[in-house]
Amino acid sequence: MNETRKEFSKYLKEVDKYFEIISILDEGSCKLVIINILGQEKIKIIDDSLIKILKANCFLLLYNLIEATIRNSIQAIIRSIHTEKMTFKNISENLRSIWINQELKNLNENSVRKNITDIAKKILNDELLNFEDTCIKISGNLDAQKIREIAKSFGYKESKNGSGLLTIKKKRNDLAHGAVTFSDIGKEYSSKDLIKYKEETTKYLDDVLCKIDEYINKKLFYLPSIR
């Protein structure tokens, strides 16, 4: 999880830098002063339309932080499972379900019987289980409820609250799919509103990471009788 924490800090620094600028947008008129290599000064007024666009971008950055953190966390769990050389016999019921669903999704329609036989052999022969990074689908669909579902699937403690993540997901998807313009979304929020979303998101994700840390350190992916 150390690498996951580092990545979280890396993404968060990018978010903080952007929000540092966003925090001053509502203080008054803004302008960008550019000095070229000849020392000549050029001034660009940051008008209301551009401010709205900059604000809307906050939702893209925050969702990027959420999805990257959850994806990296799942990969950390999978790395720990592989390090422990887990088999179907000693892995938790939660992980058994995830692995079986993963294998069933990979079934080839032209050779279903052979594929199912291969799955059975892996279980009966006590072979090491391989989990794919995509064993849990998350792309474009993450809010607090979905993150709690992921926690339930793996068997680590669920994080409470995080209601703001639903708004972040919806606004991000609206922007990504071209359902609304950046200006339309940006005009709905003040800088203070957006900073509150950032603070809530950061706090929520930090709690998720703490719970996954505990899950990995206590090796809760083993069957209870083996831990």
Side-chain angles (χ1 to χ4, degrees), residues 7-24:
E7 286 297 304
F8 176 63
S9 296
K10 178 181 174 182
Y11 278 95
L12 187 55
K13 284 180 181 177
E14 292 183 355
V15 172
D16 285 339
K17 283 185 177 181
Y18 191 83
F19 273 76
E20 185 178 352
I21 300 300
I22 294 299
S23 66
I24 67 173

PDB file of all heavy atoms in Angstrom, residues 7-24:
ATOM      1  N   GLU A   7       0.997   7.364  -4.774  1.00  0.00           N
ATOM      2  CA  GLU A   7       0.219   7.782  -5.939  1.00  0.00           C
ATOM      3  C   GLU A   7      -0.925   8.700  -5.532  1.00  0.00           C
ATOM      4  O   GLU A   7      -1.227   9.676  -6.233  1.00  0.00           O
ATOM      5  CB  GLU A   7      -0.323   6.554  -6.683  1.00  0.00           C
ATOM      6  CG  GLU A   7       0.718   5.799  -7.484  1.00  0.00           C
ATOM      7  CD  GLU A   7       1.308   6.641  -8.598  1.00  0.00           C
ATOM      8  OE1 GLU A   7       0.534   7.136  -9.431  1.00  0.00           O
ATOM      9  OE2 GLU A   7       2.542   6.817  -8.623  1.00  0.00           O
ATOM     10  N   PHE A   8      -1.564   8.392  -4.414  1.00  0.00           N
ATOM     11  CA  PHE A   8      -2.640   9.232  -3.905  1.00  0.00           C
ATOM     12  C   PHE A   8      -2.117  10.642  -3.627  1.00  0.00           C
ATOM     13  O   PHE A   8      -2.732  11.642  -4.005  1.00  0.00           O
ATOM     14  CB  PHE A   8      -3.219   8.613  -2.633  1.00  0.00           C
ATOM     15  CG  PHE A   8      -4.286   9.455  -1.963  1.00  0.00           C
ATOM     16  CD1 PHE A   8      -5.474   9.740  -2.617  1.00  0.00           C
ATOM     17  CD2 PHE A   8      -4.090   9.947  -0.687  1.00  0.00           C
ATOM     18  CE1 PHE A   8      -6.465  10.515  -2.005  1.00  0.00           C
ATOM     19  CE2 PHE A   8      -5.068  10.720  -0.061  1.00  0.00           C
ATOM     20  CZ  PHE A   8      -6.252  10.997  -0.727  1.00  0.00           C
ATOM     21  N   SER A   9      -0.969  10.726  -2.982  1.00  0.00           N
ATOM     22  CA  SER A   9      -0.356  12.028  -2.675  1.00  0.00           C
ATOM     23  C   SER A   9       0.021  12.773  -3.948  1.00  0.00           C
ATOM     24  O   SER A   9      -0.149  13.999  -4.043  1.00  0.00           O
ATOM     25  CB  SER A   9       0.897  11.829  -1.808  1.00  0.00           C
ATOM     26  OG  SER A   9       0.564  11.267  -0.566  1.00  0.00           O
ATOM     27  N   LYS A  10       0.496  12.033  -4.940  1.00  0.00           N
ATOM     28  CA  LYS A  10       0.879  12.635  -6.222  1.00  0.00           C
ATOM     29  C   LYS A  10      -0.325  13.263  -6.910  1.00  0.00           C
ATOM     30  O   LYS A  10      -0.277  14.414  -7.366  1.00  0.00           O
ATOM     31  CB  LYS A  10       1.510  11.561  -7.110  1.00  0.00           C
ATOM     32  CG  LYS A  10       1.907  12.032  -8.499  1.00  0.00           C
ATOM     33  CD  LYS A  10       2.488  10.872  -9.290  1.00  0.00           C
ATOM     34  CE  LYS A  10       2.764  11.270 -10.734  1.00  0.00           C
ATOM     35  NZ  LYS A  10       3.296  10.119 -11.515  1.00  0.00           N
ATOM     36  N   TYR A  11      -1.413  12.506  -6.996  1.00  0.00           N
ATOM     37  CA  TYR A  11      -2.637  13.027  -7.623  1.00  0.00           C
ATOM     38  C   TYR A  11      -3.202  14.190  -6.814  1.00  0.00           C
ATOM     39  O   TYR A  11      -3.695  15.175  -7.375  1.00  0.00           O
ATOM     40  CB  TYR A  11      -3.690  11.927  -7.747  1.00  0.00           C
ATOM     41  CG  TYR A  11      -3.504  11.021  -8.940  1.00  0.00           C
ATOM     42  CD1 TYR A  11      -2.812   9.816  -8.829  1.00  0.00           C
ATOM     43  CD2 TYR A  11      -4.032  11.352 -10.182  1.00  0.00           C
ATOM     44  CE1 TYR A  11      -2.647   8.970  -9.924  1.00  0.00           C
ATOM     45  CE2 TYR A  11      -3.873  10.518 -11.283  1.00  0.00           C
ATOM     46  CZ  TYR A  11      -3.174   9.330 -11.145  1.00  0.00           C
ATOM     47  OH  TYR A  11      -3.010   8.504 -12.223  1.00  0.00           O
ATOM     48  N   LEU A  12      -3.148  14.066  -5.496  1.00  0.00           N
ATOM     49  CA  LEU A  12      -3.720  15.104  -4.637  1.00  0.00           C
ATOM     50  C   LEU A  12      -2.955  16.416  -4.760  1.00  0.00           C
ATOM     51  O   LEU A  12      -3.551  17.499  -4.712  1.00  0.00           O
ATOM     52  CB  LEU A  12      -3.719  14.628  -3.177  1.00  0.00           C
ATOM     53  CG  LEU A  12      -4.430  15.527  -2.169  1.00  0.00           C
ATOM     54  CD1 LEU A  12      -5.865  15.804  -2.587  1.00  0.00           C
ATOM     55  CD2 LEU A  12      -4.389  14.905  -0.784  1.00  0.00           C
ATOM     56  N   LYS A  13      -1.646  16.337  -4.958  1.00  0.00           N
ATOM     57  CA  LYS A  13      -0.851  17.555  -5.141  1.00  0.00           C
ATOM     58  C   LYS A  13      -1.291  18.301  -6.400  1.00  0.00           C
ATOM     59  O   LYS A  13      -1.353  19.535  -6.408  1.00  0.00           O
ATOM     60  CB  LYS A  13       0.637  17.202  -5.235  1.00  0.00           C
ATOM     61  CG  LYS A  13       1.279  16.870  -3.895  1.00  0.00           C
ATOM     62  CD  LYS A  13       2.747  16.520  -4.055  1.00  0.00           C
ATOM     63  CE  LYS A  13       3.368  16.166  -2.708  1.00  0.00           C
ATOM     64  NZ  LYS A  13       4.793  15.755  -2.857  1.00  0.00           N
ATOM     65  N   GLU A  14      -1.582  17.554  -7.452  1.00  0.00           N
ATOM     66  CA  GLU A  14      -2.069  18.188  -8.681  1.00  0.00           C
ATOM     67  C   GLU A  14      -3.402  18.885  -8.438  1.00  0.00           C
ATOM     68  O   GLU A  14      -3.623  20.014  -8.898  1.00  0.00           O
ATOM     69  CB  GLU A  14      -2.231  17.132  -9.782  1.00  0.00           C
ATOM     70  CG  GLU A  14      -0.926  16.543 -10.284  1.00  0.00           C
ATOM     71  CD  GLU A  14      -1.143  15.554 -11.421  1.00  0.00           C
ATOM     72  OE1 GLU A  14      -2.327  15.274 -11.745  1.00  0.00           O
ATOM     73  OE2 GLU A  14      -0.150  15.071 -11.989  1.00  0.00           O
ATOM     74  N   VAL A  15      -4.282  18.195  -7.709  1.00  0.00           N
ATOM     75  CA  VAL A  15      -5.595  18.766  -7.396  1.00  0.00           C
ATOM     76  C   VAL A  15      -5.436  20.023  -6.548  1.00  0.00           C
ATOM     77  O   VAL A  15      -6.070  21.049  -6.807  1.00  0.00           O
ATOM     78  CB  VAL A  15      -6.472  17.730  -6.654  1.00  0.00           C
ATOM     79  CG1 VAL A  15      -7.760  18.382  -6.147  1.00  0.00           C
ATOM     80  CG2 VAL A  15      -6.805  16.565  -7.584  1.00  0.00           C
ATOM     81  N   ASP A  16      -4.575  19.960  -5.541  1.00  0.00           N
ATOM     82  CA  ASP A  16      -4.369  21.106  -4.641  1.00  0.00           C
ATOM     83  C   ASP A  16      -3.839  22.321  -5.393  1.00  0.00           C
ATOM     84  O   ASP A  16      -4.246  23.457  -5.118  1.00  0.00           O
ATOM     85  CB  ASP A  16      -3.392  20.727  -3.514  1.00  0.00           C
ATOM     86  CG  ASP A  16      -4.038  19.844  -2.455  1.00  0.00           C
ATOM     87  OD1 ASP A  16      -5.285  19.843  -2.361  1.00  0.00           O
ATOM     88  OD2 ASP A  16      -3.300  19.162  -1.720  1.00  0.00           O
ATOM     89  N   LYS A  17      -2.937  22.090  -6.339  1.00  0.00           N
ATOM     90  CA  LYS A  17      -2.390  23.206  -7.121  1.00  0.00           C
ATOM     91  C   LYS A  17      -3.482  23.899  -7.921  1.00  0.00           C
ATOM     92  O   LYS A  17      -3.538  25.126  -7.998  1.00  0.00           O
ATOM     93  CB  LYS A  17      -1.289  22.697  -8.069  1.00  0.00           C
ATOM     94  CG  LYS A  17       0.046  22.426  -7.391  1.00  0.00           C
ATOM     95  CD  LYS A  17       1.102  22.044  -8.415  1.00  0.00           C
ATOM     96  CE  LYS A  17       2.451  21.843  -7.731  1.00  0.00           C
ATOM     97  NZ  LYS A  17       3.507  21.479  -8.725  1.00  0.00           N
ATOM     98  N   TYR A  18      -4.334  23.096  -8.508  1.00  0.00           N
ATOM     99  CA  TYR A  18      -5.416  23.667  -9.316  1.00  0.00           C
ATOM    100  C   TYR A  18      -6.408  24.419  -8.435  1.00  0.00           C
ATOM    101  O   TYR A  18      -6.825  25.531  -8.753  1.00  0.00           O
ATOM    102  CB  TYR A  18      -6.121  22.558 -10.090  1.00  0.00           C
ATOM    103  CG  TYR A  18      -7.068  23.077 -11.149  1.00  0.00           C
ATOM    104  CD1 TYR A  18      -6.601  23.449 -12.404  1.00  0.00           C
ATOM    105  CD2 TYR A  18      -8.436  23.204 -10.896  1.00  0.00           C
ATOM    106  CE1 TYR A  18      -7.466  23.934 -13.380  1.00  0.00           C
ATOM    107  CE2 TYR A  18      -9.301  23.691 -11.863  1.00  0.00           C
ATOM    108  CZ  TYR A  18      -8.812  24.052 -13.099  1.00  0.00           C
ATOM    109  OH  TYR A  18      -9.667  24.544 -14.053  1.00  0.00           O
ATOM    110  N   PHE A  19      -6.771  23.820  -7.314  1.00  0.00           N
ATOM    111  CA  PHE A  19      -7.748  24.441  -6.428  1.00  0.00           C
ATOM    112  C   PHE A  19      -7.188  25.691  -5.741  1.00  0.00           C
ATOM    113  O   PHE A  19      -7.941  26.562  -5.313  1.00  0.00           O
ATOM    114  CB  PHE A  19      -8.237  23.436  -5.379  1.00  0.00           C
ATOM    115  CG  PHE A  19      -9.398  22.605  -5.848  1.00  0.00           C
ATOM    116  CD1 PHE A  19      -9.203  21.552  -6.734  1.00  0.00           C
ATOM    117  CD2 PHE A  19     -10.686  22.878  -5.423  1.00  0.00           C
ATOM    118  CE1 PHE A  19     -10.263  20.782  -7.175  1.00  0.00           C
ATOM    119  CE2 PHE A  19     -11.763  22.127  -5.853  1.00  0.00           C
ATOM    120  CZ  PHE A  19     -11.554  21.075  -6.741  1.00  0.00           C
ATOM    121  N   GLU A  20      -5.883  25.775  -5.651  1.00  0.00           N
ATOM    122  CA  GLU A  20      -5.266  26.981  -5.101  1.00  0.00           C
ATOM    123  C   GLU A  20      -5.593  28.188  -5.988  1.00  0.00           C
ATOM    124  O   GLU A  20      -5.835  29.294  -5.489  1.00  0.00           O
ATOM    125  CB  GLU A  20      -3.748  26.788  -5.016  1.00  0.00           C
ATOM    126  CG  GLU A  20      -3.019  27.937  -4.356  1.00  0.00           C
ATOM    127  CD  GLU A  20      -1.520  27.701  -4.248  1.00  0.00           C
ATOM    128  OE1 GLU A  20      -1.060  26.577  -4.540  1.00  0.00           O
ATOM    129  OE2 GLU A  20      -0.806  28.661  -3.874  1.00  0.00           O
ATOM    130  N   ILE A  21      -5.610  27.938  -7.292  1.00  0.00           N
ATOM    131  CA  ILE A  21      -5.987  28.995  -8.227  1.00  0.00           C
ATOM    132  C   ILE A  21      -7.490  29.234  -8.193  1.00  0.00           C
ATOM    133  O   ILE A  21      -7.955  30.389  -8.176  1.00  0.00           O
ATOM    134  CB  ILE A  21      -5.550  28.628  -9.660  1.00  0.00           C
ATOM    135  CG1 ILE A  21      -4.030  28.439  -9.726  1.00  0.00           C
ATOM    136  CG2 ILE A  21      -6.007  29.691 -10.650  1.00  0.00           C
ATOM    137  CD1 ILE A  21      -3.240  29.671  -9.332  1.00  0.00           C
ATOM    138  N   ILE A  22      -8.250  28.160  -8.153  1.00  0.00           N
ATOM    139  CA  ILE A  22      -9.711  28.273  -8.132  1.00  0.00           C
ATOM    140  C   ILE A  22     -10.183  29.080  -6.923  1.00  0.00           C
ATOM    141  O   ILE A  22     -11.156  29.843  -7.004  1.00  0.00           O
ATOM    142  CB  ILE A  22     -10.355  26.862  -8.110  1.00  0.00           C
ATOM    143  CG1 ILE A  22     -10.077  26.122  -9.416  1.00  0.00           C
ATOM    144  CG2 ILE A  22     -11.860  26.944  -7.853  1.00  0.00           C
ATOM    145  CD1 ILE A  22     -10.638  26.809 -10.647  1.00  0.00           C
ATOM    146  N   SER A  23      -9.473  28.949  -5.813  1.00  0.00           N
ATOM    147  CA  SER A  23      -9.898  29.595  -4.566  1.00  0.00           C
ATOM    148  C   SER A  23      -9.890  31.120  -4.641  1.00  0.00           C
ATOM    149  O   SER A  23     -10.555  31.789  -3.857  1.00  0.00           O
ATOM    150  CB  SER A  23      -9.004  29.148  -3.409  1.00  0.00           C
ATOM    151  OG  SER A  23      -7.673  29.603  -3.589  1.00  0.00           O
ATOM    152  N   ILE A  24      -9.154  31.699  -5.608  1.00  0.00           N
ATOM    153  CA  ILE A  24      -9.081  33.164  -5.701  1.00  0.00           C
ATOM    154  C   ILE A  24     -10.003  33.738  -6.786  1.00  0.00           C
ATOM    155  O   ILE A  24     -10.130  34.952  -6.909  1.00  0.00           O
ATOM    156  CB  ILE A  24      -7.634  33.633  -5.970  1.00  0.00           C
ATOM    157  CG1 ILE A  24      -7.161  33.190  -7.351  1.00  0.00           C
ATOM    158  CG2 ILE A  24      -6.692  33.131  -4.887  1.00  0.00           C
ATOM    159  CD1 ILE A  24      -5.809  33.768  -7.747  1.00  0.00           C
TER     160      ILE A  24
END
